[in-house]
Amino acid sequence: MQEHLIIFDTTLRDGEQSPGASMTKEEKVRIAWQLERMRVDVIEAGFPAASNGDFEAVKAVADSVKESTVCGLARAIEMDIQRTGEALKGAQSARIHTFIATSPIHMKNKLRMAPEQVIEQAVKAVRWARQYTDNVEFSPEDAGRSEIDFLCRILELVIDAGATTLNIPDTVGYTMPDQFGKLINQLRERIPNSDKAVFSVHCHNDLGLAVANSLAAVMNGARQIECTINGLGERAGNASLEEVVMAIRTRQDYFPCDTRIDATHIVSASKLVSSITGFPVQPNKAIVGANAFAHESGIHQDGILKHRETYEIMRAEDVGWGANKLLLGKHSGRNAFRARLTELGIEFESEEMLNSMFMRFKELADKKHEIFDEDLYALASDEVIVQHECFRLVSLIVHSETGEVPYARIVISENGNEMHAESQGSGPVDATFRAIESLLNSGAQLQLYSVNNITSGTDAQGEVTVRLYKSDRIVNGQGADTDIVVASAKAYLNALNKLCSKLERAHPQI
Ligand code: KIV
Ligand code: ZN
């Protein structure tokens, strides 16, 4: 009988700490629903004490997710833990994750605390957290570079104080798989009360070893892996959820445990995170890259046709490739539309919102005959944008002709008041952005502009991501349309709306 391996997803917390990957409350809730649909055991939704915005986002996730445990991160400080406890009040199942650094380099230079003070603070933190929930995780930050005797002492005491999960982070991605596996083994052997807690690992990918280190830990008794969709995370990222889950699932002959993840939702989760953060997935990325199941060489194709397993160890459909079935078209009615949204877990705030989405679906079906699930996700996020933003695109005319200077004429409404502008540019997108800037004068710096097709074919919707930087804030804006210049204008306005919002999204350095 296989043991259960807990999947702890930290896309919304460590993933969000990646520069430029900051998410709004609504975006976090959408990703959380997708993680819940995938049957992720624990969703780390954010760092509530970091900002009011993050507090509200963690609260919104805690209030709306029912099947997964919702977790919030807190430094080993009473105020952080209180805030986290408050944010998680509405969760069906809540976990507080508290941490303090234990490596000599962090204790001396960052915390400026003696090892005994660190132990004392860690124990207090776990006790504070236990006042809110009996599900408490403790992490000795930079465990990969900490002294094992010290780790054994602090971990024994936090278990006594009530920690139920001990997470061992390789914070700087420094350890080697063999070494990390041994560390987990020794901790389990040497800590007298180690059987009272679940051992977890949290590996960073600075040397490209995050997944290998996590799997080595599993072979040595770890029963929780912390990971992120697409491997998003600080610097080179965290262990990628899809790689961890599929390695364990594909090699059931090797691993003593399995996850309860429904892998058929992996590709949609990857696309959702990529579109919200604006971080594209490299084509050769394992599991979720566009080429992960593509066979180019004749020898491989021939082998696959004769017997699939000659070159394929997993089936593309098992991770959700090709699952975007054509279900709706121009003649589909409102009920079929509503039913499909419900099946996909797309929620609408009111009947008015559903009606507006239905109208836009009909418009889209006129331009693009086949509507896929991905189109519906894009339509839903566009609708959220339309309902909540103060700057909206009313109309856009662009002219581009060989040998002529492109220009754009745009109408934008600001809280219902229409404003007109026109501008020339080096191309139609440049002209459009200049026209918007001539009206709104944001002074923001464009850091990234990317276009992806949501589905295949030249009639597909293009999804544009725009990243803007202003006064220490970085925001991503998205827009989707079958016309990529219109999608670009929507994405630019979406980013400006986020810059104007009062939500503070800064993360304190930890
Ligand atoms: O990398 C790390 O050490 C962390 C901790 C907060 C778990 O993200
Ligand atoms: Zn981390």
Side-chain angles (χ1 to χ4, degrees):
M1 180 55 182
Q2 292 293 72
E3 284 182 52
H4 176 50
L5 176 67
I6 299 168
I7 293 295
F8 175 115
D9 181 280
T10 182
T11 307
L12 303 180
R13 198 279 296 170
D14 213 318
E16 197 199 22
Q17 284 175 215
S18 189
S22 153
M23 301 164 206
T24 64
K25 178 172 85 178
E26 289 75 22
E27 289 166 342
K28 281 198 169 191
V29 170
R30 281 182 62 209
I31 294 177
W33 283 338
Q34 179 68 17
L35 297 174
E36 183 181 31
R37 214 171 292 136
M38 263 170 69
R39 293 161 51 85
V40 159
D41 300 281
V42 187
I43 299 172
E44 188 165 54
F47 193 168
S51 67
N52 290 338
D54 225 8
F55 177 90
E56 291 301 334
V58 173
K59 182 170 170 356
V61 172
D63 292 347
S64 65
V65 163
K66 302 286 169 245
E67 303 292 329
S68 310
T69 295
V70 180
C71 176
L73 182 71
R75 287 170 296 187
I77 296 174
E78 193 167 12
M79 253 270 296
D80 271 32
I81 292 169
Q82 266 173 8
R83 256 336 240 162
T84 309
E86 271 169 46
L88 294 172
K89 248 187 208 149
Q92 299 262 323
S93 164
R95 175 182 294 187
I96 295 180
H97 176 189
T98 184
F99 72 98
I100 191 163
T102 51
S103 62
I105 186 169
H106 276 231
M107 291 192 290
K108 180 163 176 260
N109 301 297
K110 185 182 81 168
L111 297 177
R112 304 215 165 103
M113 283 168 85
E116 291 314 314
Q117 290 175 299
V118 169
I119 293 186
E120 197 185 319
Q121 196 67 21
V123 167
K124 278 196 210 155
V126 170
R127 292 207 181 111
W128 289 321
R130 282 295 300 236
Q131 292 171 3
Y132 296 90
T133 170
D134 53 12
N135 191 344
V136 174
E137 173 169 326
F138 173 77
S139 291
E141 192 194 3
D142 203 17
R145 293 187 299 169
S146 301
E147 285 161 3
I148 184 144
D149 291 347
F150 186 63
L151 282 179
C152 288
R153 279 183 59 215
I154 194 166
L155 293 176
E156 179 182 347
L157 292 171
V158 294
I159 297 175
D160 280 343
T164 44
T165 301
L166 300 181
N167 179 46
I168 311 302
D170 182 18
T171 304
V172 290
Y174 180 71
T175 60
M176 294 290 127
D178 182 43
Q179 196 183 20
F180 196 60
K182 276 195 193 123
L183 173 65
I184 302 299
N185 188 27
Q186 283 177 21
L187 291 174
R188 291 182 60 235
E189 299 258 299
R190 287 182 47 184
I191 299 172
N193 51 1
S194 66
D195 59 321
K196 306 269 182 314
V198 173
F199 274 76
S200 164
V201 288
H202 174 111
C203 299
H204 278 272
N205 208 27
D206 299 66
L207 294 172
L209 294 169
V211 171
N213 282 340
S214 306
L215 297 176
V218 167
M219 291 309 285
N220 284 280
R223 287 296 175 266
Q224 173 176 289
I225 293 188
E226 301 200 353
C227 45
T228 57
I229 303 290
N230 298 339
L232 200 68
E234 283 264 8
R235 306 179 310 278
N238 290 65
S240 103
L241 179 145
E242 56 278 7
E243 293 177 24
V244 162
V245 166
M246 291 317 290
I248 302 263
R249 181 103 2 125
T250 307
R251 294 302 309 272
Q252 278 292 285
D253 58 320
Y254 186 77
F255 290 102
C257 50
D258 197 6
T259 72
R260 60 168 202 147
I261 295 294
D262 178 351
T264 59
H265 293 295
I266 282 180
V267 168
S268 332
S270 161
K271 288 189 176 177
L272 181 65
V273 169
S274 167
S275 91
I276 285 178
T277 57
F279 285 30
V281 175
Q282 76 195 55
N284 58 329
K285 165 86 174 63
I287 322 290
V288 292
N291 290 351
F293 293 87
H295 298 273
E296 179 69 25
S297 107
I299 297 175
H300 287 210
Q301 286 175 352
D302 180 53
I304 290 274
L305 288 173
K306 287 182 175 141
H307 188 76
R308 187 175 183 150
E309 280 85 34
T310 47
Y311 286 102
E312 263 185 19
I313 57 166
M314 294 168 279
R315 294 186 320 165
E317 54 271 36
D318 291 347
V319 295
W321 282 109
N324 54 350
K325 291 182 260 58
L326 164 65
L327 277 155
L328 296 174
K330 169 178 175 152
H331 301 295
S332 306
R334 190 184 309 260
N335 284 343
F337 179 71
R338 179 201 290 268
R340 189 64 195 143
L341 292 189
T342 310
E343 266 170 48
L344 292 175
I346 298 175
E347 301 209 343
F348 31 90
E349 288 165 14
S350 59
E351 278 304 301
E352 196 192 353
M353 187 164 174
L354 176 74
N355 290 343
S356 157
M357 278 167 76
F358 185 64
M359 265 169 52
R360 298 175 66 229
F361 157 72
K362 285 285 180 182
E363 280 166 27
L364 182 63
D366 268 339
K367 293 192 226 160
K368 179 179 187 291
H369 303 298
E370 303 175 324
I371 307 287
F372 297 95
D373 292 345
E374 277 78 357
D375 291 313
L376 295 182
Y377 282 122
L379 198 93
S381 38
D382 242 33
E383 187 62 32
V384 173
I385 291 167
V386 168
Q387 302 268 336
H388 295 278
E389 294 196 330
C390 69
F391 304 125
R392 286 167 60 172
L393 175 68
V394 177
S395 67
L396 175 65
I397 296 171
V398 281
H399 182 85
S400 106
E401 188 182 335
T402 322
E404 296 290 323
V405 181
Y407 78 84
R409 210 180 304 149
I410 196 161
V411 183
I412 297 170
S413 87
E414 183 182 3
N415 298 323
N417 301 322
E418 290 195 355
M419 303 177 288
H420 298 241
E422 57 182 68
S423 176
Q424 294 187 328
S426 60
V429 173
D430 185 48
T432 303
F433 289 1
R434 285 173 188 272
I436 296 175
E437 276 301 323
S438 74
L439 284 175
L440 303 181
N441 287 317
S442 77
Q445 204 182 314
L446 179 69
Q447 287 202 326
L448 173 133
Y449 170 79
S450 81
V451 189
N452 283 302
N453 52 337
I454 293 180
T455 54
S456 54
T458 50
D459 69 346
Q461 291 196 84
E463 183 167 59
V464 173
T465 301
V466 161
R467 183 174 302 151
L468 296 181
Y469 171 82
K470 191 183 173 190
S471 320
D472 286 343
R473 287 189 69 199
I474 299 176
V475 293
N476 289 315
Q478 280 88 31
D481 200 279
T482 47
D483 179 331
I484 58 162
V485 187
V486 173
S488 305
K490 287 181 179 174
Y492 198 89
L493 287 172
N494 179 223
L496 287 181
N497 275 302
K498 287 183 182 172
L499 271 182
C500 294
S501 88
K502 299 276 182 297
L503 281 188
E504 184 203 330
R505 304 286 309 154
H507 285 282
Q509 280 304 302
I510 50 177

